[in-house]
Amino acid sequence: GGAAAPLWQLVEELNGLDVQQLSLSRTAAAALSVDGSLYLWGTPDADHDHRFATARRPTRLKAPPDAPPFTAVTVGGRGLVAASGGHKQGAWEWCEGEAAPVPIPSLAGYTVTSVSCGEEHVALIADGAVWTGGSNAEGQLCRGGYKKGGVGIERLPDVKQAVAFVAVSCAPFATTILNADGFATACGSNEHNALGLPSNDPQVTRIAAPRALDLPSGVRGLVAVACA
């Protein structure tokens, strides 16, 4: 038979750029270059009306004049994108149906260092604290309780600990949080044991407040977290 098709293909529009971050969802994708420019592409469908990414190939975002160079980007299942703008510049977001980013009012003046989106929620690290917003149907906002409707982006209640939070990562309906000591917690849907809960909790289907991951004996000091 003929030669097999290549497994990897060059994204010509990004060739030659210094890309520092990529983020993908089922229907959209984003690339962030080191100069703070965003390149977006995707294919909206009946359930994902994201106007910010409609081109089939990467297209540079025409950011608003007052938008700073972006430093992080994340694409969610519903087309939500949040990007931080550097030191004390807060964060920006796109909601479904919007073609341009808008600042997140609650994060004005904060330095956002980590952002991640799930199917219908977003989590951020700002000045060492955790902020979440969106749907809380599965407890994925880590605020306690469950709520199907949208919730504004707010800071989580203070946690009694001596170190700051450094990273967040969202699955479709769950959130994992990492602090500077390498200690990780998670909340939200526990389908397929996604939260890494202790084996004696097999009937727990969702958690509304952060709970420690059940790591193997001897594992200490995580340096990163990633959810899919």
Side-chain angles (χ1 to χ4, degrees):
L7 296 178
W8 298 90
Q9 295 184 1
L10 177 68
V11 181
E12 296 180 356
E13 291 82 356
L14 302 180
N15 188 28
L17 293 177
D18 290 327
V19 176
Q20 62 171 317
Q21 187 181 3
L22 293 168
S23 183
L24 309 174
S25 73
R26 288 181 295 173
T27 59
L32 175 66
S33 67
V34 295
D35 68 359
S37 298
L38 278 175
Y39 295 80
L40 307 172
W41 65 103
T43 306
D45 59 24
D47 296 322
H48 303 86
D49 179 26
H50 49 75
R51 293 175 55 199
F52 63 87
T54 58
R56 297 294 297 270
R57 306 295 299 179
T59 303
R60 184 171 179 173
L61 171 73
K62 295 181 179 179
D66 56 340
F70 297 112
T71 57
V73 63
T74 178
V75 182
R78 290 291 178 181
L80 173 67
V81 176
S84 65
H87 182 68
K88 301 297 181 184
Q89 296 294 323
W92 297 63
E93 68 176 345
W94 292 255
C95 295
E96 286 194 317
E98 294 180 348
V102 295
I104 300 174
S106 58
L107 289 168
Y110 286 88
T111 299
V112 178
T113 54
S114 180
V115 294
S116 187
C117 285
E119 179 70 14
E120 297 177 331
H121 76 291
V122 61
L124 311 94
I125 302 294
D127 290 346
V130 181
W131 297 65
T132 60
S135 172
N136 197 37
E138 299 295 328
Q140 61 264 50
L141 300 189
C142 302
R143 300 183 188 180
Y146 307 95
K147 182 178 180 180
K148 291 185 177 181
V151 178
I153 297 175
E154 298 177 357
R155 178 175 175 169
L156 293 190
D158 289 336
V159 178
K160 294 182 179 179
Q161 65 173 47
V163 297
F165 294 102
V166 295
V168 290
S169 184
C170 296
F173 303 103
T175 302
T176 301
I177 307 166
L178 181 68
N179 74 12
D181 279 346
F183 181 75
T185 56
C187 61
S189 171
N190 193 41
E191 186 177 8
H192 306 302
N193 199 33
L195 302 184
L197 298 176
S199 58
N200 61 355
D201 287 337
Q203 302 305 315
V204 176
T205 59
R206 58 183 184 175
I207 294 290
R211 183 179 294 190
L213 271 63
D214 185 29
L215 299 173
S217 177
V219 175
R220 297 289 185 275
L222 299 178
V223 297
V225 290
C227 300

